Amino acid sequence: MKFAGRHRVVVLLVVLALVGVAAWALWPAPPPLDRLDTEIAVVDGPDDDQNVVLDATYFAPDGGGKAPAVLLAHGFGGSKQSVREPAERLAREGYAVLTWSARGFGRSTGEIALNSPDYEVKDVKQLLDWLAERPEVRLDAAGDPRVGIAGGSYGGAIALLAAAYDQRIDAIVPQITWHDLSDALFPNAVVDDDVEDGVGKARTGVFKRMWAGLFFSRGGAPTGAQDGADERSGLAALGGSARSPRPLNEQEAACGRFLPEICAMYQSVATTGEATPEAVERLRRSSPVSVPGRIKIPTLLLQGQRDSLFPLDHADANARAVAATGAPVQVAWFDGGHDGGDGEIDWTHDRTLAWFDHWLKRDGGSGIPGSGFEVTRDGGRDPGTRRPVLLHAGADGYPGLGGSGQSTVLLSGPDQNVASPPGGSPAVVSSVPGFGGLLGNGNLSVSVDVPGQSASFDSAPLTGPLQVTGSPTISVRVHGGGETGEVTLFAKLQDVAGGTQPPTLPEGLVSPVKISVPAEKDEEDGGTTVTIRLPAIDHRFDAGHRLRVTLSTTDLGYAMPATPSVHRIGLASQTLTLPTVAALRTPAAGPAWWTWALPAAALVLAAGILLAGRRRTQDIVDPASAEVPLRISGLTKAYRNGELAVDDLSFRVERGQVLGLLGPNGAGKTTTMRMLLGLIHPDAGEIHVFGRRVTPGAPVLSRLGSFVEGPGFLPHLSGRANLELYWRATGRPAGDARMAEALEIAGLGAALDRAVRTYSQGMRQRLAIAQAMLGLPDLLVLDEPTNGLDPPQIREMRRVLIRYAEGGRTVIVSSHLLAEVEQTCDHVVVMHRGRLVTTGPVSDLLAGAAKDNGSTRRLEDVFLTLIGDHS
Amino acid sequence: MTERTETHGSPAPGYAARHTLPLSVEIVRQFRRRRTLVMFGLLLALPWVLVIAFKVGTGTTGQNTLRLSDLATESALNFAAFALSVSVGFLLVVAVGLFCGDTVASEASWSSLRYLLAAPVPRSRLLRQKLIVALGYSAAAVISLPLMALLAGTVAFGWDDIQVPITGEIIPAAAALPRFGIVIGYALVSQLVVASVAFLLSTTTDSPLGAVGGAVGLVIVSNILQAVEALGVLREFLPTFWNSAWLDALAPELEWGGMLKGASVSVTYSVILLALAFRRFRRKDIVS
């Protein structure tokens, strides 16, 4: 029965496992999306006379019906293939998604016009026309689809620009993109009193040489396999554009797929490192800065914190431009950008989806999802994986780069001379465009400074932690403009932990400044004073750390003056102004629900396990047999294989008897004794000791001394310690043990204090019998007690047992030696193959046998007759 | 030998189930065992071995790395944290597995189990007393190592403030000491799973080494599964997944989340495993 039960559990487990594996393997894969690869012909150009064929893929919404549409734009150097995965995700969420390769990219024809209103923007308008014809797309009016645009970088800018030029667009999610491309390529972080703070200043700054080169090279010569090149991975793009299926003509080699005007413009500025007014004009036409007040739709701006190409101030300017029209804007700074970082693909997807769900599916209204301003922060490490954990801190409104509050830290340091090296080399390395990921992510950004090229000003160690969110400002005075009267500097704010650690440069960002220091001014009033906007960051300066503002003359990523010069730099004001946003709060992620639920459920389950298996054993007292040391009735026990070890055994032992349990090996004697001690459970039948039914651990067993199947001692303890600890384990008073009498029976002498592991078999045997006699139990059960004893000891043992029973106690001795039983016992129970053969006084047995046969026989002969073995 | 009068089936005079196998007896029974002494000797010697290793080894690793091992010689607390981190994954698992896995199985292998049960010590009481003592020894093992490491670290490297790994921040020693208590407390809780598995195996097998090995094997398998990132969030429910969550207690800001989850998983497994152990043992036929 038990065997079968165990079997059933195993079978059940195996079946469950198989079902699980099968379900996992056969779980229906989501049905393939209804996908249409197509070519959409558009007409664009300033005069609407250029025919371009756009390579597009349309994903019908999963679930059917009329659904809002989303245009997914790819990044620079990419194609419609780069956004295939996010497009499929959105389509599964029930959007009609259109992806296309912008003109000049992928398999689309035409030339790159840098998101020009005359070219790319007109293309998007015609894509909207195409969408409005699709039967699955929900329309706001005839020819006006319900549509949003999302995209990163180049694709983010087209989202913003298209929103400005086409009123049919309902919501946009631009990511890591620019507000003013001329500022992105020629940044100048000088705070100019004439111009509104932020991007969009009149004066252009330092040429972002390396990024510009990379940016333009990605629009390079057509290659056979541009599909899949991803804007975010600089290495992939660089590698992908190296091969070409056919020799390039002169124009292609020089300009790739750029519009010739743009190519010429780039070649001019890249050569001189100076922006021409025409270049600035052209770059701004391709930027949201040129369309103030025209983006009037809900806009979610996702900008990367690790982005030296389009830093956070571009999102800031975009946010202010959109907010000025009264349209809802949210800004999030996530851990990503053109310099690497986590990327947070899932989080940006979720955020984009929530935005479109609200504005496209649910028609807007109150309850805008997400926070007005959200910042991804370092949440330490996951305790299990030891990987960085990202937390998203949110605040209701976006306060801008100036923060909602300000904190000031005093800097100090003398005026310092710094040199601009000839040709701008060697240069400080703060970040390497396109390779950001290789330099390490997170907060471990380190800037490699060159001696003699930088001036540093330190604060005192912070007394408490300081969380900076936004763009800090500092005022410095610069002397020595040299011949040109212009000084190029790179300002950065570093976190100095002290000790052995190098200072960290948060996100690897620097603020380039171009300051004019006219020679005459230099002489007269002690140089030029400028206020510098340091890079916008979200960074926690810990207590005990110092803040260090460093101004260096070089940075690898930028164009620098070729002529050598020396400048003197000092603090114009000691005050470093640091923006803070106290309202940013990380949602208190309380412990997961299962933290409490699991242990509670386990307790319930454990209680179930313990209660369900409980056997109700009633303690039935049989007063009639209270004086009977042992009464066995109907006792049955089967081996695991079903064979009966004890089969319907019944007998009774009276007080004062020395009973022999007699039978050949395997007769079931030991099994009976184990059941008698409550060690194994009988399958049927009962055992009563002094009128109490025997169950495992029944208290009445305390009146029973036992020696079953060999001794059991702790080998590392002495014989005496073993007996003493055994007696203490019974919990009975030490005085009741009769230790001396028991030890006398053991007769071990000095060996008593040796470890049991040194004992011979016979010594252990005697010690075990002594242990059985501890406390002089009323019923003594001995299994083969004379095994391993020598003849004198056997004789002594016999004597002991007979005397033991004389005091009214009862002894049960099992044996397969008939002579043994004959000489020791007055009663005998004969067992064979688990069954009772006979029981009664030894004398009766002998007498009966004698009667049968006519001659006095030994017990052995009787026994052999009884078990039917005459061999 | 004296005469005695019996009443109706009552137990022997002075016998009461609740007095059987007192804790003091079980503690003595286990303490004199060689493996107990060897294990404690090893745990108490390890910090000194590490001290010698750090003193002998002069090779400096990367100067600016701030791993736990690089900071070990900064202060006694750093050293103790390091000692704990290198032993929590395996040595302490073996120690706890040994004390909890050996306790019943060794009695079975010596055959002394049947005499205890026939004494009689009621089965659930025997298991309870053994569990308490085994957990006590396990706790002593887990606690003795970091305490000895503190002592050895103080002697060798001085009693200084603790330097936090990765960020390199300094926490005053006085403030770090309670944190250290949390670390030890969490190490205890997280070893509960090992203890319970070993104990369950101990009640089902007669081979002490089988029980210990089974528990250690489970930890190894769990560690391997933990490395399979494809399992995703399921890994959070592996018994060893949160074993290093105590590092959060040494972070500049005390973070409870991981340790709470770890404690939750650990307690969940142990409660069920121990219930199974009691159920099995209650119904088991003792044939050893």
Side-chain angles (χ1 to χ4, degrees):
Chain A
M1 187 191 90
K2 186 155 199 180
F3 182 73
R6 191 172 293 213
H7 222 71
R8 219 176 298 145
V9 171
V10 172
V11 168
L12 187 69
L13 284 178
V14 168
V15 167
L16 277 180
L18 284 178
V19 166
V21 168
W24 179 74
L26 299 177
W27 196 261
L33 285 164
D34 190 0
R35 189 177 123 220
L36 172 69
D37 287 309
T38 184
E39 290 181 337
I40 301 176
V42 293
V43 180
D44 58 14
D47 305 320
D48 290 319
D49 55 357
Q50 297 193 19
N51 288 303
V52 172
V53 175
L54 297 179
D55 180 27
T57 299
Y58 172 75
F59 299 88
D62 209 16
K66 291 267 187 189
V70 172
L71 285 185
L72 267 191
H74 62 81
F76 206 79
S79 73
K80 67 173 190 179
Q81 297 295 338
S82 340
V83 290
R84 177 161 176 179
E85 207 171 313
E88 285 180 347
R89 280 176 90 168
L90 279 173
R92 291 206 188 281
E93 299 290 347
Y95 288 93
V97 184
L98 181 63
T99 64
W100 78 103
S101 298
R103 54 178 289 143
F105 292 101
R107 294 201 171 83
S108 294
T109 62
E111 291 119 344
I112 302 164
L114 284 186
N115 287 340
S116 159
D118 289 331
Y119 296 92
E120 280 87 350
V121 172
K122 284 184 177 174
D123 296 348
V124 170
K125 285 183 177 185
Q126 289 163 76
L127 292 177
L128 295 184
D129 295 341
W130 186 89
L131 268 181
E133 311 263 301
R134 299 299 308 180
E136 305 91 349
V137 173
R138 185 168 146 192
L139 298 180
D140 286 330
D144 177 6
R146 173 68 61 92
V147 65
I149 307 186
S153 197
Y154 192 64
I158 195 66
L160 284 160
L161 285 161
Y165 285 98
D166 194 321
Q167 306 307 312
R168 290 177 293 174
I169 299 166
D170 301 290
I172 50 172
V173 185
Q175 296 179 28
I176 56 168
T177 193
W178 66 83
H179 176 67
D180 179 350
L181 197 51
S182 75
D183 179 82
L185 298 181
F186 298 92
N188 191 0
V190 170
V191 176
D192 199 326
D193 292 336
D194 303 337
V195 180
E196 172 94 7
D197 183 31
V199 186
K201 294 168 308 297
R203 203 184 323 144
T204 60
V206 188
F207 181 45
K208 207 180 270 176
R209 190 184 57 185
M210 254 170 111
W211 261 129
L214 267 176
F215 194 78
F216 280 90
S217 74
R218 280 184 211 172
T223 66
Q226 270 201 349
D227 296 350
D230 187 359
E231 158 91 15
R232 289 203 190 153
S233 151
L235 282 175
L238 285 179
S241 54
R243 278 169 287 108
S244 187
R246 59 178 171 80
L248 304 172
N249 64 33
E250 201 173 319
Q251 169 71 13
E252 280 172 344
C255 293
R257 298 178 72 180
F258 279 104
L259 214 59
E261 307 91 283
I262 289 181
C263 177
M265 179 270 293
Y266 171 70
Q267 292 191 337
S268 136
V269 300
T271 311
T272 60
E274 297 288 339
T276 58
E278 300 76 46
V280 170
E281 167 59 23
R282 182 170 283 282
L283 290 171
R284 287 198 173 166
R285 284 253 302 151
S286 297
S287 303
V289 69
S290 64
V291 288
R294 292 180 62 175
I295 305 172
K296 299 175 193 162
I297 53 168
T299 304
L300 169 64
L301 292 155
L302 305 177
Q303 201 78 351
Q305 296 182 42
R306 296 190 63 87
D307 201 327
S308 56
L309 178 58
F310 304 129
L312 296 173
D313 41 350
H314 284 267
D316 179 64
N318 279 332
R320 279 186 283 117
V322 177
T325 68
V329 181
Q330 289 189 355
V331 178
W333 298 352
F334 68 99
D335 182 19
H338 288 88
D339 287 334
D342 182 89
E344 300 196 66
I345 292 170
D346 290 332
W347 181 83
T348 52
H349 168 79
D350 291 345
R351 211 65 178 73
T352 305
L353 186 66
W355 194 252
F356 285 152
D357 279 353
H358 184 75
W359 296 110
L360 302 182
K361 275 193 180 162
R362 287 200 296 273
D363 306 310
S366 58
I368 301 173
S371 308
F373 181 39
E374 214 166 319
V375 176
T376 300
R377 286 180 174 164
D378 177 21
R381 273 165 194 276
D382 178 86
T385 56
R386 314 312 305 168
R387 291 176 158 218
V389 171
L390 300 177
L391 297 177
H392 297 99
D396 281 341
Y398 173 62
L401 294 182
S404 58
Q406 264 154 18
S407 183
T408 55
V409 167
L410 294 185
L411 300 179
S412 58
D415 286 10
Q416 292 156 56
N417 285 316
V418 296
S420 281
S425 181
V428 171
V429 182
S430 58
S431 67
V432 182
F435 295 88
L438 298 182
L439 293 183
N441 297 328
N443 293 328
L444 292 174
S445 311
V446 173
S447 126
V448 184
D449 281 309
V450 179
Q453 289 187 15
S454 56
S456 292
F457 306 94
D458 279 21
S459 74
L462 293 173
T463 52
L466 177 63
Q467 181 85 42
V468 175
T469 306
S471 191
T473 53
I474 179 82
S475 284
V476 294
R477 185 175 292 128
V478 182
H479 299 263
E483 295 167 14
T484 56
E486 257 191 354
V487 177
T488 298
L489 291 175
F490 301 90
K492 53 200 168 203
L493 175 62
Q494 288 174 302
D495 183 344
V496 186
T500 56
Q501 290 177 271
T504 59
L505 177 62
E507 319 298 354
L509 296 175
V510 299
S511 279
V513 288
K514 197 176 253 187
I515 308 160
S516 61
V517 187
E520 69 278 13
K521 214 177 171 186
D522 216 3
E523 305 295 320
E524 287 163 19
D525 56 4
T528 300
T529 299
V530 287
T531 302
I532 298 172
R533 280 183 301 107
L534 292 162
I537 48 169
D538 178 68
H539 183 79
R540 188 186 135 105
F541 294 87
D542 284 318
H545 289 203
R546 295 167 189 272
L547 276 65
R548 174 180 295 167
V549 171
T550 302
L551 295 126
S552 39
T553 55
T554 56
D555 193 282
L556 190 65
Y558 293 83
M560 289 157 289
T563 47
S565 56
V566 174
H567 322 288
R568 194 167 89 251
I569 302 171
L571 289 172
S573 154
Q574 281 195 299
T575 309
L576 172 64
T577 308
L578 301 147
T580 57
V581 184
L584 273 178
R585 287 265 178 270
T586 309
W593 60 271
W594 57 261
T595 313
W596 308 113
L598 266 190
L603 278 176
V604 173
L605 183 60
I609 288 171
L610 288 178
L611 292 178
R614 177 159 277 176
R615 288 180 195 207
R616 280 259 151 245
T617 48
Q618 282 160 316
D619 193 16
I620 307 161
V621 187
D622 179 8
S625 64
E627 290 293 307
V628 181
L630 176 64
R631 186 165 61 85
I632 291 177
S633 49
L635 195 66
T636 305
K637 177 75 183 178
Y639 290 118
R640 279 210 178 155
N641 61 10
E643 194 189 324
L644 290 175
V646 176
D647 185 5
D648 197 21
L649 182 71
S650 300
F651 67 88
R652 184 181 165 113
V653 185
E654 301 296 340
R655 273 189 72 182
Q657 284 184 347
V658 179
L659 178 93
L661 191 55
L662 190 59
N665 287 331
K669 306 188 296 286
T670 305
T671 306
T672 305
M673 287 192 152
R674 285 181 172 278
M675 286 189 276
L676 170 57
L677 296 177
L679 295 175
I680 58 183
H681 301 267
D683 293 336
E686 286 171 7
I687 302 172
H688 284 89
V689 172
F690 295 113
R692 297 265 173 170
R693 185 168 170 189
V694 171
T695 52
V700 75
L701 290 174
S702 60
R703 290 172 65 178
L704 198 148
S706 60
F707 168 72
V708 178
E709 250 200 324
F713 293 110
L714 280 62
H716 54 282
L717 296 178
S718 71
R720 188 191 300 279
N722 259 299
L723 291 201
E724 280 170 1
L725 285 172
Y726 172 78
W727 187 255
R728 285 173 63 192
T730 66
R732 293 166 62 187
D736 290 0
R738 311 292 192 96
M739 187 66 73
E741 288 165 74
L743 290 178
E744 193 188 332
I745 289 160
L748 289 171
L752 207 54
D753 293 309
R754 288 205 326 247
V756 166
R757 81 169 78 83
T758 64
Y759 285 15
S760 70
Q761 174 66 26
M763 290 161 85
R764 286 182 202 194
Q765 180 106 351
R766 293 196 321 265
L767 188 66
I769 292 167
Q771 175 177 289
M773 289 184 179
L774 276 181
L776 303 182
D778 298 320
L779 175 59
L780 188 61
V781 179
L782 302 176
D783 184 18
E784 309 274 3
T786 53
N787 262 8
L789 300 189
D790 52 27
Q793 286 168 338
I794 293 175
R795 190 183 310 135
E796 173 62 17
M797 186 60 62
R798 259 182 230 140
R799 205 181 51 75
V800 166
L801 294 182
I802 291 167
R803 221 178 53 196
Y804 194 87
E806 277 167 4
R809 295 186 176 79
T810 312
V811 179
I812 301 175
V813 178
S814 88
S815 183
H816 64 283
L817 296 176
L818 308 167
E820 175 76 38
V821 172
E822 194 174 8
Q823 290 175 52
T824 316
C825 305
D826 41 36
H827 280 69
V828 69
V829 168
V830 182
M831 285 180 76
H832 184 53
R833 292 191 183 144
R835 298 191 69 92
L836 178 73
V837 176
T838 186
T839 176
V842 176
S843 49
D844 284 9
L845 213 60
L846 289 173
K851 233 175 261 164
D852 281 352
N853 214 305
S855 66
T856 306
R857 289 168 62 191
R858 290 180 49 80
L859 185 56
E860 182 157 5
D861 307 318
V862 179
F863 177 74
L864 290 174
T865 314
L866 284 174
I867 66 173
D869 186 356
H870 297 282
S871 58
Chain B
M1 300 204 181
T2 54
E3 196 64 37
R4 162 177 296 174
T5 55
E6 284 90 19
T7 49
H8 287 301
S10 60
Y15 173 83
R18 64 179 188 281
H19 291 150
T20 54
L21 195 60
L23 292 180
S24 59
V25 171
E26 178 60 14
I27 288 170
V28 173
R29 285 161 58 88
Q30 298 295 329
F31 182 72
R32 297 275 301 281
R33 304 190 51 194
R34 201 171 286 170
R35 61 185 56 161
T36 308
L37 297 175
V38 166
M39 184 47 79
F40 273 104
L42 185 63
L43 291 172
L44 295 177
L46 181 76
W48 298 101
V49 173
L50 285 175
V51 163
I52 293 168
F54 275 111
K55 292 279 180 190
V56 169
T58 51
T60 48
T61 51
Q63 295 233 317
N64 292 324
T65 59
L66 283 170
R67 289 172 302 165
L68 204 51
S69 57
D70 301 320
L71 296 172
T73 57
E74 292 292 315
S75 76
L77 283 162
N78 272 115
F79 178 75
F82 170 73
L84 196 59
S85 76
V86 291
S87 49
V88 81
F90 196 71
L91 181 60
L92 289 183
V93 168
V94 172
V96 171
L98 186 69
F99 291 128
C100 294
D102 187 63
T103 180
V104 180
S106 64
E107 299 275 1
S109 73
W110 296 326
S111 302
S112 51
L113 182 62
R114 60 170 174 260
Y115 292 107
L116 283 178
L117 291 176
V121 182
R123 289 197 181 183
S124 43
R125 178 168 171 91
L126 178 118
L127 220 49
R128 193 189 84 186
Q129 300 295 84
K130 282 200 158 285
L131 179 62
I132 291 171
V133 171
L135 288 180
Y137 274 111
S138 304
V142 174
I143 292 169
S144 67
L145 177 86
L147 286 188
M148 184 52 94
L150 272 185
L151 178 69
T154 308
V155 170
F157 309 115
W159 181 256
D160 279 321
D161 298 341
I162 189 167
Q163 194 172 6
V164 172
I166 303 181
T167 64
E169 275 173 87
I170 303 282
I171 301 179
L177 217 47
R179 300 276 196 96
F180 211 73
I182 296 171
V183 168
I184 296 178
Y186 181 73
L188 285 173
V189 174
S190 66
Q191 296 292 346
L192 262 184
V193 181
V194 179
S196 316
V197 172
F199 196 70
L200 173 60
L201 289 175
S202 190
T203 59
T204 56
T205 173
D206 295 350
S207 151
L209 284 180
V212 181
V216 173
L218 179 103
V219 168
I220 291 171
V221 169
S222 173
N223 274 323
I224 290 171
L225 286 180
Q226 198 172 315
V228 181
E229 301 216 343
L231 285 176
V233 78
L234 281 181
R235 293 182 304 159
E236 290 195 11
F237 301 99
L238 288 173
T240 58
F241 187 73
W242 304 95
N243 267 5
S244 49
W246 56 270
L247 284 169
D248 290 349
L250 298 180
E253 265 174 89
L254 186 54
E255 165 64 45
W256 286 102
M259 288 194 278
L260 270 181
K261 286 183 178 176
S264 166
V265 170
S266 184
V267 167
T268 300
Y269 278 114
S270 342
V271 165
I272 294 174
L273 290 169
L274 290 179
L276 285 174
F278 274 81
R279 183 191 164 114
R280 271 206 72 92
F281 194 65
R282 198 170 58 200
R283 305 173 57 146
K284 193 182 175 190
D285 282 346
I286 307 294
V287 292
S288 58

